[in-house]
């Protein structure tokens, strides 16, 4: 009888009783999974030595940058940037014109513009590409614009169209007591053309017409001086 009761006691034990093999884990253990899933993520912690090394690298970069700026700053200060009006070379147009007269076959015009117009180039072009030899001078105007002067004895319609950028004739403009042909592209570029005693002078650029007129008047004056200087005594009528 004692053994029979012992067996019944084992069989009467509920399968889900705490600690029984059939019951599995306890309720406390079962509830541990959802708690772990809802836990906050673990933030990495930088050790003090690593943080110190990182800060040292940043400080080193800043120091290197400051030293580089300090090394280049004196160089920049010793070489100031050019002024807003830009570099203006000193071109002696008259001297260059005299040197070109021997090959030009005429005296190239060198207008006296004083200090109002500044030349940035003066040259004789042999015309190897265009077939038209030319005397060329560039002028910077008082209003920071530009007018180019071209003079030749070999003008032709094709060359003239190239010089005036195919601008149509829009009228005439008097300057220096002479009537200049006015050509205007309508896009800022304009030209004034004068035929004078065997040579053709073309002024072209984006400058204002008032500045064109001032330079054109100086050109006429220089042309008249050159013409008077080249008159041969034998050509003067005898009394």
């Amino acid at each position: 009888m004692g053994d029979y009761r012992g067996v019944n006691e084992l069989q009467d034990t509920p399968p889900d009783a705490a600690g029984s093999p059939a019951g599995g884990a306890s309720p406390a253990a079962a509830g541990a999974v959802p708690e772990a899933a809802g836990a906050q993520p673990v933030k990495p912690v930088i050790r003090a030595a690593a943080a110190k090394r990182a800060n040292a690298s940043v400080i080193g970069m800043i120091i290197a940058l400051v030293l580089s700026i300090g090394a280049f700053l004196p160089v920049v200060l010793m070489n100031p940037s050019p002024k807003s009006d830009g570099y203006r070379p000193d071109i002696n147009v008259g001297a260059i014109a005299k040197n070109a007269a021997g090959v030009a076959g005429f005296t190239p015009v060198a207008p006296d513009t004083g200090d109002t117009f500044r030349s940035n180039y003066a040259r004789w072009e042999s015309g190897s590409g265009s077939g038209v030899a030319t005397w060329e001078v560039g002028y910077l105007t008082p209003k920071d614009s530009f007018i180019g002067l071209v003079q030749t004895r070999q003008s032709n319609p094709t060359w003239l169209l190239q010089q005036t950028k195919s601008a149509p004739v829009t009228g005439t403009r008097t300057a220096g007591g002479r009537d200049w042909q006015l050509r205007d592209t309508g896009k800022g570029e304009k030209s004034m053309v004068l035929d004078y005693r065997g040579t053709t002078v073309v002024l072209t650029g984006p400058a204002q017409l008032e500045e064109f007129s001032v330079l054109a008047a100086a050109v006429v004056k220089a042309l008249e001086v050159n013409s008077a200087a080249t008159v041969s005594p034998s050509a003067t009528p005898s009394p």
Side-chain angles (χ1 to χ4, degrees), residues 24-34:
S26 64
V33 175

Side-chain angles (χ1 to χ4, degrees), residues 2-102:
D3 293 338
Y4 179 75
R5 287 192 300 272
V7 172
N8 289 340
E9 290 175 357
L10 291 173
Q11 293 177 348
D12 292 340
T13 302
D16 56 350
S20 64
S26 64
V33 175
E35 291 177 1
Q40 295 292 329
V42 179
K43 295 182 179 179
V45 178
I46 301 177
R47 295 183 178 180
K52 185 176 181 180
R53 286 195 297 270
N55 291 335
S57 300
V58 174
I59 294 174
M61 292 176 62
I62 295 175
I63 293 175
L65 179 61
V66 172
L67 291 176
S68 299
I69 295 175
F72 285 102
L73 188 59
V75 178
V76 175
L77 294 177
M78 291 175 63
N79 296 275
S81 59
K83 296 181 180 180
S84 58
D85 58 355
Y87 173 66
R88 295 186 174 185
D90 185 14
I91 304 296
N92 190 333
V93 178
I96 300 174
K98 289 181 180 179
N99 292 334

Side-chain angles (χ1 to χ4, degrees), residues 222-237:
L223 287 171
E224 292 175 346
V225 171
N226 291 346
S227 178
T230 56
V231 172
S232 171
S234 60
T236 306

Side-chain angles (χ1 to χ4, degrees), residues 180-201:
W180 294 65
Q181 184 185 78
L182 180 62
R183 299 190 178 208
D184 196 339
T185 63
K187 299 179 180 178
E189 291 280 342
K190 57 189 71 69
S191 299
M192 288 177 62
V193 182
L194 177 67
D195 291 323
Y196 185 88
R197 297 190 177 182
T199 68
T200 299
V201 179

Side-chain angles (χ1 to χ4, degrees), residues 109 121 132 134-139 146-152 154-157 159-167 180-183 189-196 199-205 212 215-216 219 223:
V109 65
Y121 67 84
V132 179
T134 55
W135 165 246
E136 302 178 358
V137 187
Y139 287 98
F146 174 80
I147 300 176
L149 180 153
V150 181
Q151 183 183 16
T152 185
Q154 303 169 335
S155 177
N156 59 69
W159 175 85
L160 191 57
L161 282 175
Q162 293 174 346
Q163 294 300 314
T164 59
K165 298 178 173 57
S166 300
W180 294 65
Q181 184 185 78
L182 180 62
R183 299 190 178 208
E189 291 280 342
K190 57 189 71 69
S191 299
M192 288 177 62
V193 182
L194 177 67
D195 291 323
Y196 185 88
T199 68
T200 299
V201 179
V202 182
L203 304 179
T204 302
F212 267 85
L215 181 58
V219 168
L223 287 171

